[in-house]
Amino acid sequence: MARKPPTDRLALLAELEKKVLWLASWTIHHANHGRDSRDGLKVGGHQASSASLATIMTALYFAVLKPEDRVAVKPHASPNFHAIQYLLGNQTRAKLETFRGYKGAQSYPSRTKDTDDVDFSTGSVGLGVAQTLFSSLAQDYVRAHGWGLDRPEGRMIALIGDAEMDEGNIYEALIEGWKHGLRNTWWVVDYNRQSLDAVVREGLWERFEAMFRNFGWDVVILKYGRLLEAAFAEPGGEALRRWIDTCPNQLYSALCYQGGAAWRKRLQDDIGDQGQVSKLLGRRTDAELARLMTNLAGHDLPSLLDALEAVDHDRPVCFIAYTIKGFGLPFQGHKDNHAGLMTPAQMEDFRAAMGVRPGHEWDRFEGLTTPAGTLEPFLRAVPFAQAGRRRTSAPKLAIPAQLPCPAQPVMATQQGFGLILNEIARGKEAYADRIVTTSPDVTVSTNLGAFVNRRGLFAREALADTFRQERIPSTFTWDFSPSGQHIELGIAEMNLFTLLSALGLTHALHGERLLPVGTLYDPFIQRGLDALNYACYQDARFLLVATPSGVTLAPEGGAHQSIGTPLIGIAQDGLAAFEPAFVDELAVIMRFAFDYMQRDSDGDPDEGTWLRDETGGSVYLRLSTRAVDQPQRVMSEALQADIINGGYWMRPPGPNARVVIAYTGAVAPEALAAAGLMAENHRDVGVLAITSADRLNAGWTAAERARQHGRHGATSHVERLLAPLGRDCGLVTVIDGHPAALAWLGGVAGHRVKSLGVEHFGQTGTVEDLYRHHGIDANAILHAAQALLAGRPVRHLRALP
């Protein structure tokens, strides 16, 4: 049996629970009714969802959590989190007063925008939940390699709305947790049985329980509080329990809203006058009966503390905590309460009930009976607060000035990637030990095989390669061990991006830096795009290698063809996207990526920063399976800088250039061939290699923003590249992707532009067939260039002879 918490602690926690509920509710109310609304829009907030979790979060943050524990807070309970941090001294009144306003406390907990020590960003429901699972696996990876052992292990905890459990990525994550022996993970389900649009179906908790147990989790059902358990022990109590256990969710929620008199009538009507039950009900006033029937365990501090503090092992645990949505507020249990807000009149009644004087709404201990002289020492002694701000840091890893670049006359960038990683794995540099690779069941087909051969697969317990033990010949000899550097995943892209997010935050969460590298097929970025966006929003650092891209895996057709991913690379904040054509470019970019992933986030692009390199981030490489002739050249420092900045002149334009061909990636041979065909009559034709449309575009827009802020000398790399061209020079852009990825180049200096690319997928054939079909072959480029020279539009490119 768990030790009962001391009564004085319970009394103090009850006071803090009351304060959390008040501050969260008032913060939302003030945002909607207390601030001037210049645009007339509803600010919003979730008073009911916050109230649902107030008791659970009070128990966790003020009693159970330790500094090393990390928590993903249910998005709609963010006001609770900010209120708790305010009471602990980690949040300011000014931030609360500007909740959901500019630079105020964020609508949902944000690692990058909030200042009160958020562990995991949440907001896109389900993603924060899975993040805790993968963060626990990342912690195991770090410690298995002998790093960070001077720090205690932390528990990764998710506070989950029951409707959030509809998200499929949660179940994908459960599978990986089971496969990798998940530990130190708690998921606390706020089982209030209400969602945005509906009431949760009956018996769902039984499905949750069975599912979690099947995946090796302990399940703790927290249903009844002390008052109800005591009532069940009275004569007639078992009949009351049976009624509650069979009561439909909708009816229970409705009665919670209606109150004591409605409870009494319904119970008497349904159970009948059975003597003992009638006496049980008759001993309580309507107010006492309402309090009894809403005394679910999720709102009962002693029950919560008993359950949470009884866990003395590292097995994953799912707590299913029964709660009432809007508990303690005038609309508790009402089916419309999800986005409901207390009216000013209701808030005045609530203020009076809380004992808060007008003008003292933000006072930390206003309305409490316990003096500040008692509460302040208690808060200073809270275990969770003992380490101060808990975000850790880790030293940067030294990256060599140059990465090994394989010298083969004909290669694809995907092949080059594998060869570069293989050479890194052969070496002894410290940074190579911190590389961790992962892939959703496409390790071999994305050319990670050689790295895994040398560095092994990760598992907390060693497992030999059975095929090698049985002396069966194989290209790959993959042993599992605690020292392995590849984490094997099943074929689920959401898991890939969530794991990359977790691995890319170990420096901040576990004090040890990793260099995560994840590979997948380029078209399937879109299957996990929400998780990728979430990872970038958290400022996780990783290298994403997507290959094959475009239509170059031609015989496999539309299922393996990507069109819009270059636009994703341009649009995704926190992700620098590159698409090199040649392997020597790739080696330069990978070296840059390993450094860029480690840069501190000192600069804030929101503040007009135009040198985006100052802040660092993650990197996306769009690679190809198409083997092309490799240039024989010396990589000067200037050329390397141009490659990183996004582009360079493969063939500089002459003084009278009337056409420039700008290409990205695997279509380099077509661009060069078209320029060669034009050379006899147009010797000044330039060929511009675009290694990163993203970096060029970001630099251009940032330089313009800087000029608007008074930095009149700010000039972007793309502006410098195009400066030698006259205004009558035309640009032909070509990419094995959507043409809009390069079409913006015409806006830099006002040049006319013809943009070629791929707008449809699904056709099979050879690369030559498909390039001709989509109008990105040399003949189509030549036709577009001639149209620019003649000043006429380009039509019917696919019909060219």
Side-chain angles (χ1 to χ4, degrees):
M1 290 291 293
R3 182 177 60 85
K4 294 291 183 183
T7 305
D8 58 343
R9 183 177 72 148
L10 274 176
L12 292 173
L13 289 172
E15 290 273 77
L16 293 171
E17 174 194 12
K18 175 181 176 182
K19 197 63 193 178
V20 169
L21 178 61
W22 164 260
L23 282 171
S25 301
W26 176 256
T27 296
I28 297 168
H29 181 82
H30 176 76
N32 287 274
H33 297 286
R35 294 201 307 254
D36 291 337
S37 178
R38 292 191 293 262
D39 53 19
L41 295 177
K42 173 185 173 182
V43 176
H46 299 86
Q47 289 174 329
S49 293
S50 294
S52 183
L53 261 179
T55 315
I56 293 171
M57 292 181 69
T58 297
L60 282 169
Y61 279 95
F62 294 125
V64 177
L65 295 179
K66 297 177 181 178
E68 59 270 19
D69 297 332
R70 308 293 179 183
V71 186
V73 176
K74 183 180 78 169
H76 296 150
S78 116
N80 287 350
F81 175 80
H82 296 308
I84 288 168
Q85 295 297 325
Y86 180 60
L87 292 171
L88 290 172
N90 300 326
Q91 180 62 285
T92 67
R93 172 175 169 175
K95 293 282 188 181
L96 293 183
E97 288 181 326
T98 50
F99 172 66
R100 292 197 168 206
Y102 183 65
K103 299 292 185 180
Q106 294 293 295
S107 311
Y108 309 122
S110 170
R111 284 183 54 82
T112 55
K113 301 300 182 185
D114 277 316
T115 59
D116 49 351
D117 207 14
V118 173
D119 293 318
F120 302 109
S121 299
T122 53
S124 183
V125 293
L127 294 179
V129 180
Q131 176 85 15
T132 59
L133 183 151
F134 286 107
S135 289
S136 182
L137 297 182
Q139 178 179 244
D140 281 349
Y141 180 92
V142 167
R143 296 178 71 84
H145 285 76
W147 305 319
L149 298 181
D150 57 332
R151 301 180 182 87
E153 286 186 333
R155 293 166 295 196
M156 305 297 122
I157 300 169
L159 305 177
I160 313 169
D162 50 5
E164 197 169 3
M165 294 295 291
D166 286 349
E167 290 289 348
N169 72 285
I170 291 176
Y171 305 100
E172 292 177 333
L174 279 176
I175 295 172
E176 288 300 337
W178 174 77
K179 288 195 295 188
H180 290 278
L182 180 67
R183 306 184 307 130
N184 293 316
T185 304
W186 288 5
W187 287 1
V188 184
V189 180
D190 174 16
Y191 195 56
N192 61 44
R193 302 167 306 288
Q194 287 185 251
S195 64
L196 175 59
D197 292 329
V199 175
V200 170
R201 296 295 178 90
E202 309 300 328
L204 187 60
W205 70 271
E206 296 170 313
R207 275 62 180 175
F208 287 161
E209 180 180 15
M211 176 188 61
F212 278 97
R213 292 196 191 281
N214 285 340
F215 282 111
W217 291 56
D218 287 5
V219 179
V220 178
I221 306 295
L222 297 170
K223 188 169 186 179
Y224 300 118
R226 291 169 306 163
L227 296 180
L228 276 171
E229 291 288 1
F232 296 154
E234 296 179 23
E238 281 305 313
L240 179 63
R241 184 198 295 267
R242 286 194 298 273
W243 184 92
I244 295 175
D245 285 343
T246 58
C247 180
N249 289 334
Q250 293 198 46
L251 176 58
Y252 207 92
S253 294
L255 291 170
C256 287
Y257 174 72
Q258 291 174 308
W263 279 114
R264 188 180 306 279
K265 183 177 186 306
R266 174 62 69 167
L267 289 169
Q268 289 175 339
D269 289 347
D270 287 358
I271 301 178
D273 185 2
Q274 298 182 10
Q276 292 178 337
V277 175
S278 297
K279 290 177 182 179
L280 186 155
L281 299 178
R283 286 192 291 271
R284 292 163 172 85
T285 66
D286 283 352
E288 290 170 337
L289 183 58
R291 184 183 177 208
L292 172 69
M293 297 304 292
T294 57
N295 179 234
L296 301 180
H299 300 304
D300 190 73
L301 278 167
S303 301
L304 286 169
L305 292 170
D306 280 351
L308 296 170
E309 294 180 336
V311 178
D312 59 358
H313 55 78
D314 64 2
R315 296 189 300 276
V317 183
C318 175
F319 299 91
I320 300 177
Y322 278 71
T323 60
I324 297 165
K325 194 162 185 175
F327 180 71
L329 303 183
F331 42 55
Q332 68 175 15
H334 196 288
K335 71 181 183 67
D336 298 337
N337 66 13
H338 180 81
L341 298 171
M342 280 187 276
T343 65
Q346 288 174 323
M347 179 53 72
E348 285 306 308
D349 291 341
F350 186 59
R351 180 208 301 275
M354 287 289 185
V356 175
R357 295 167 293 168
H360 294 267
E361 295 87 356
W362 301 107
D363 294 0
R364 288 171 69 222
F365 305 129
E366 175 70 10
L368 304 184
T369 58
T370 305
T374 301
L375 286 168
E376 287 284 14
F378 179 81
L379 288 171
R380 286 196 297 270
V382 165
F384 175 75
Q386 294 310 296
R389 184 172 171 83
R390 300 163 309 113
R391 193 164 297 187
T392 61
S393 60
K396 290 184 64 174
L397 304 169
I399 308 299
Q402 291 185 331
L403 297 187
C405 181
Q408 296 184 18
V410 180
M411 275 189 293
T413 49
Q414 174 179 308
Q415 176 191 5
F417 162 72
L419 293 172
I420 292 169
L421 265 190
N422 182 49
E423 290 303 310
I424 292 172
R426 287 164 56 98
K428 303 296 184 182
E429 289 89 352
Y431 84 99
D433 295 334
R434 297 291 178 136
I435 293 174
V436 51
T437 61
T438 186
S439 186
D441 204 36
V442 288
T443 300
V444 174
S445 53
T446 55
N447 280 56
L448 279 178
F451 179 87
V452 179
N453 267 356
R454 294 191 181 278
R455 295 286 177 152
L457 293 100
F458 171 71
R460 286 192 294 111
E461 297 181 2
L463 178 65
D465 185 334
T466 301
F467 277 74
R468 186 172 64 173
Q469 287 184 329
E470 296 296 325
R471 298 184 180 181
I472 299 173
S474 172
T475 307
F476 305 103
T477 54
W478 290 0
D479 291 325
F480 289 85
S481 74
S483 63
Q485 289 181 234
H486 178 78
I487 298 178
E488 187 178 49
L489 289 176
I491 189 164
E493 284 74 18
M494 293 292 284
N495 283 343
L496 169 72
F497 290 124
T498 312
L499 176 59
L500 287 175
S501 180
L503 295 171
L505 286 172
T506 57
H507 60 285
L509 295 176
H510 310 301
E512 297 291 338
R513 189 179 300 279
L514 299 176
L515 298 175
V517 178
T519 66
L520 82 167
Y521 284 14
D522 191 62
F524 301 140
I525 282 179
Q526 292 161 120
R527 290 179 64 171
L529 190 53
D530 192 18
L532 172 60
N533 179 65
Y534 170 76
C536 293
Y537 179 56
Q538 299 217 90
D539 197 29
R541 304 301 181 85
F542 51 86
L543 174 59
L544 174 65
V545 181
T547 178
S549 65
V551 298
T552 53
L553 204 62
E556 296 203 20
H560 287 164
Q561 292 175 2
S562 59
I563 296 173
T565 49
L567 299 175
I568 292 172
I570 292 174
Q572 180 59 58
D573 189 20
L575 189 70
F578 292 86
E579 186 169 355
F582 305 112
V583 175
D584 59 355
E585 298 170 354
L586 174 62
V588 171
I589 293 167
M590 287 179 64
R591 193 269 163 207
F592 163 80
F594 288 135
D595 176 75
Y596 187 71
M597 290 156 58
Q598 301 183 69
R599 296 183 187 178
D600 293 332
S601 298
D602 294 331
D604 183 355
D606 292 344
E607 298 294 340
T609 301
W610 69 283
L611 294 176
R612 192 173 68 168
D613 287 3
E614 294 174 359
T615 62
S618 292
V619 177
Y620 159 38
L621 305 182
R622 189 174 189 255
L623 305 185
S624 173
T625 52
R626 187 190 187 198
V628 300
D629 292 337
Q630 299 295 302
Q632 305 301 310
R633 56 187 173 182
V634 176
M635 270 289 168
S636 66
E637 290 187 8
L639 179 54
Q640 292 182 56
D642 285 351
I643 290 169
I644 296 307
N645 287 328
Y648 64 94
W649 286 109
M650 173 63 79
R651 180 178 294 179
N656 299 309
R658 295 181 58 200
V659 173
V660 163
I661 300 170
Y663 73 87
T664 286
V667 294
E670 282 67 30
L672 292 169
L677 290 171
M678 296 182 67
E680 183 175 343
N681 297 319
H682 303 279
R683 298 183 182 278
D684 289 345
V685 171
V687 179
L688 182 61
I690 307 294
T691 53
S692 174
D694 175 36
R695 302 266 294 172
L696 285 185
N697 182 271
W700 174 44
T701 56
E704 178 58 32
R705 190 161 54 245
R707 291 191 286 266
Q708 292 172 2
H709 283 75
R711 303 174 193 170
H712 302 297
T715 306
S716 67
H717 184 57
V718 70
E719 288 170 320
R720 290 190 294 270
L721 286 171
L722 299 183
L725 305 180
R727 288 294 298 271
D728 61 343
C729 183
L731 304 179
V732 178
T733 68
V734 58
I735 183 174
D736 185 355
H738 198 281
L742 297 179
W744 60 271
L745 284 169
V748 175
H751 295 111
R752 291 172 299 130
V753 62
K754 302 295 183 185
S755 295
L756 309 182
V758 179
E759 297 178 81
H760 307 282
F761 59 81
Q763 187 58 255
T764 58
T766 65
V767 171
E768 181 182 0
D769 291 335
L770 296 189
Y771 277 23
R772 182 175 63 253
H773 173 80
H774 290 291
I776 57 174
D777 61 346
N779 194 30
I781 297 170
L782 181 62
H783 187 168
Q786 291 172 340
L788 281 172
L789 289 168
R792 56 183 172 81
V794 182
R795 296 190 179 93
H796 308 303
L797 295 181
R798 297 179 196 168
L800 290 170

